[in-house]
């Protein structure tokens, strides 16, 4: 990713809210963090009024790369939690819950943050309770925005879909999540990370922090 070219693309498109993420995330955590940080700086230089959201990896639980990103002062720090603790080793073998995925939540005094939970099991009652526990964890870390979506199997090499959930079930999950202090919750079958990101950020009225 070339930070300057990304910034120029954002300027050309006239974006008011830019979401910056990466494909290959864990080869070099510190190096990857520096690219995120430089991209933030380049966008700010060209389009000062653009709100910048970064969708980051967990950086394998390391504090240094997270600090590098935070020092560049993105407006929104976004990270995918993706599943409940019981399924973590099957879904995200390289990550650990909560040590890695809740690490960014410690920086809430500086930034707003998204969490993203995906339904990955058919045992409704048990999974419902487990999701509520994850929501409680995220809410307790001061997360502002939560997105909840239906898992879709990208390929035959990924976990199979055990059940599709109804819009009504997603609405009920949203009501449950709001009890834990989130300022905004998006919950629905088609919801993904940064779903309607601009509107979500506007709804929280999260100010840019300057230190």
């Amino acid at each position: 990713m070339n930070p300057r070219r990304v910034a120029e693309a954002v300027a050309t498109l006239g974006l008011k809210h830019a979401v910056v993420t990466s494909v290959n995330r864990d080869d070099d955590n510190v190096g990857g963090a520096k690219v995120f940080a430089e991209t933030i700086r380049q966008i700010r230089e060209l389009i000062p009024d653009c709100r910048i959201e970064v969708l980051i990896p967990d950086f394998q639980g390391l504090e240094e790369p997270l600090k590098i990103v935070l020092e560049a002062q993105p407006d929104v720090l976004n990270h995918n939690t993706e599943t409940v603790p019981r399924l973590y080793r099957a879904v995200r073998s390289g990550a650990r819950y909560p040590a890695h995925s809740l690490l960014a939540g410690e920086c809430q005094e500086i930034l707003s943050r998204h969490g993203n939970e995906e339904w990955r099991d058919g045992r409704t009652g048990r999974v419902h309770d487990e999701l509520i526990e994850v929501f409680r964890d995220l809410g307790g870390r001061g997360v502002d925005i939560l997105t909840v979506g239906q898992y879709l199997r990208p390929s035959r090499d990924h976990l199979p879909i055990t059940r599709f959930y109804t819009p009504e079930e997603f609405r009920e999950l949203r009501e449950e999540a709001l009890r834990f202090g989130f300022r905004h919750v998006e919950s629905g079958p088609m919801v993904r990370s940064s779903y309607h990101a601009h509107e979500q950020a506007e709804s929280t009225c999260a100010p840019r922090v300057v230190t």
Side-chain angles (χ1 to χ4, degrees):
M1 182 168 64
N2 184 305
R4 187 67 180 188
R5 291 181 65 182
V6 171
E8 289 171 350
V10 172
T12 298
L13 294 169
L15 300 183
K16 295 181 179 179
H17 185 108
V19 180
V20 179
T21 188
S22 59
V23 177
N24 201 352
R25 301 182 176 192
D26 295 321
D27 289 353
D28 178 1
N29 288 297
V30 172
K34 289 179 179 177
V35 174
F36 271 106
E38 182 59 24
T39 302
I40 294 167
R41 286 190 283 267
Q42 291 290 333
I43 294 174
R44 285 264 158 75
E45 180 180 325
L46 292 183
I47 321 99
D49 294 332
C50 180
R51 182 184 290 109
I52 304 171
E53 174 178 336
V54 289
L55 174 54
I56 63 169
D58 58 26
F59 294 127
Q60 297 181 325
L62 301 174
E63 292 188 16
E64 183 182 357
L66 181 60
K67 288 180 179 178
I68 290 171
V69 175
L70 292 176
E71 286 172 358
Q73 298 185 338
D75 296 287
V76 180
L77 185 69
N78 186 339
H79 172 66
N80 288 343
T81 304
E82 294 200 40
T83 191
V84 297
R86 176 173 54 84
L87 299 176
Y88 238 64
R89 288 191 179 276
V91 175
R92 302 191 66 199
S93 59
R96 297 292 178 269
Y97 183 99
H100 291 193
S101 283
L102 292 184
L103 173 64
E106 302 293 349
C107 303
Q108 175 55 29
E109 68 275 11
I110 303 175
L111 296 170
S112 300
R113 177 182 165 216
H114 294 225
N116 182 32
E117 310 307 323
E118 294 186 353
W119 301 56
R120 294 182 179 269
D121 194 285
R123 289 166 286 185
T124 310
R126 181 178 183 183
V127 172
H128 179 273
D129 292 344
E130 289 175 312
L131 283 169
I132 298 308
E133 286 302 312
V134 173
F135 297 167
R136 181 178 288 109
D137 286 345
L138 293 171
R141 298 296 179 105
V143 173
D144 283 329
I145 302 170
L146 178 73
T147 56
V148 187
Q150 170 73 50
Y151 168 67
L152 298 176
R153 192 182 191 185
S155 74
R156 292 185 178 181
D157 295 329
H158 291 77
L159 292 180
I161 298 170
T162 56
R163 182 171 179 263
F164 286 99
Y165 288 78
T166 68
E168 178 57 34
E169 288 172 313
F170 279 106
R171 284 192 290 271
E172 292 173 358
L173 205 58
R174 178 180 182 276
E175 293 304 313
E176 292 271 13
L178 286 170
R179 296 190 295 113
F180 300 113
F182 298 105
R183 297 169 69 182
H184 188 91
V185 177
E186 290 281 356
S187 179
M190 302 304 293
V191 170
R192 292 294 181 269
S193 302
S194 303
Y195 181 87
H196 291 173
H198 180 265
E199 291 86 346
Q200 289 182 22
E202 288 288 349
S203 73
T204 65
C205 299
R208 178 177 299 167
V209 177
V210 179
T211 59

